[in-house]
Amino acid sequence: MSVAPHPLVAAMLAKPITHEVVTTFADGTERRFGVRSNAQGENYAVGERRKIGRDLINRETGATVRVVSVEVVAI
């Protein structure tokens, strides 16, 4: 049985992705997260910016990585 999403949720999901949050690591790799507005990007970036300067474990490779910058960019 399929349930239709709430009209507000459907309207938000229909908006195009206009910005990306780009997290850059010390080894030069980047992770990009698409969002639908600059405000959503800034909200997501708050949590990512807390990680700047910390050594983290990359879930994909198991290697230790260090976050060096987080930016919100328009695409």
Side-chain angles (χ1 to χ4, degrees):
M1 182 168 102
S2 177
V3 178
H6 189 277
L8 181 60
V9 173
M12 289 300 295
L13 291 174
K15 288 184 175 182
I17 293 178
T18 59
H19 292 75
E20 285 184 329
V21 179
V22 181
T23 304
T24 307
F25 299 99
D27 62 359
T29 59
E30 294 180 342
R31 182 174 54 221
R32 294 177 173 264
F33 182 77
V35 293
R36 291 175 168 82
S37 70
N38 187 49
Q40 282 183 346
E42 288 297 333
N43 190 40
Y44 183 81
V46 167
E48 290 293 298
R49 287 183 180 125
R50 290 184 187 133
K51 300 173 187 174
I52 292 177
R54 293 188 178 188
D55 288 328
L56 305 172
I57 296 173
N58 184 332
R59 292 182 182 194
E60 297 167 357
T61 64
T64 301
V65 294
R66 181 178 288 262
V67 177
V68 293
S69 70
V70 177
E71 299 175 5
V72 179
V73 295
I75 46 176

